[in-house]
Amino acid sequence: MKLILAIVHNDDNVLVSSSLTKAGFHVTKIASTGGFLMSGNTTFIMGVEDGEVDIAIDIISKYSKKHTQSVVNDIALATGNIGANIPVEVQVGGGTILVLNIERFERV
């Protein structure tokens, strides 16, 4: 048995959640915030049988899309250089997936 923690962009959470549920996975969703852009994410938690880990990861990967976003460079705040306050394109979205071993699992 494995525990999957999957962090995806909020824009993708509905498709990821509904697709995992349709595939028979029991999913818990938690609202979370990323540390880089301080924007909304959704963290999915689910217990998965060892043989179903790749299926769950494939579903999460399929519906977690990367895209670019324009953000203002914070160098201006640190240096006082107003000219450094130029928007830059950064890649956001996609997903971060952690798979952990579970010593014991019970559904009560």
Side-chain angles (χ1 to χ4, degrees):
M1 178 84 54
K2 304 291 185 194
L3 175 69
I4 296 179
L5 301 172
I7 304 157
V8 302
H9 194 273
N10 267 352
D11 292 347
D12 301 324
N13 95 71
V14 173
L15 282 174
V16 171
S17 178
S18 62
S19 299
L20 287 169
T21 302
K22 284 179 188 174
F25 293 102
H26 297 274
V27 180
T28 298
K29 295 185 342 180
I30 299 174
S32 54
T33 303
F36 177 58
L37 296 176
M38 305 306 270
S39 62
N41 293 320
T42 300
T43 300
F44 293 93
I45 302 173
M46 53 190 170
V48 178
E49 295 295 335
D50 290 356
E52 296 180 328
V53 170
D54 289 336
I55 297 167
I57 290 174
D58 287 344
I59 292 169
I60 296 164
S61 299
K62 181 177 180 180
Y63 296 106
S64 299
K65 302 299 178 195
K66 293 180 182 178
H67 57 278
T68 58
Q69 179 176 330
S70 181
V71 297
V72 176
N73 188 343
D74 286 339
I75 293 173
L77 296 175
T79 64
N81 183 355
I82 303 303
N85 200 3
I86 300 170
V88 292
E89 294 287 320
V90 295
Q91 188 173 3
V92 297
T96 300
I97 302 169
L98 306 168
V99 180
L100 309 166
N101 289 320
I102 295 178
E103 189 172 313
R104 181 174 172 174
F105 175 82
E106 291 185 36
R107 182 169 284 134
V108 295

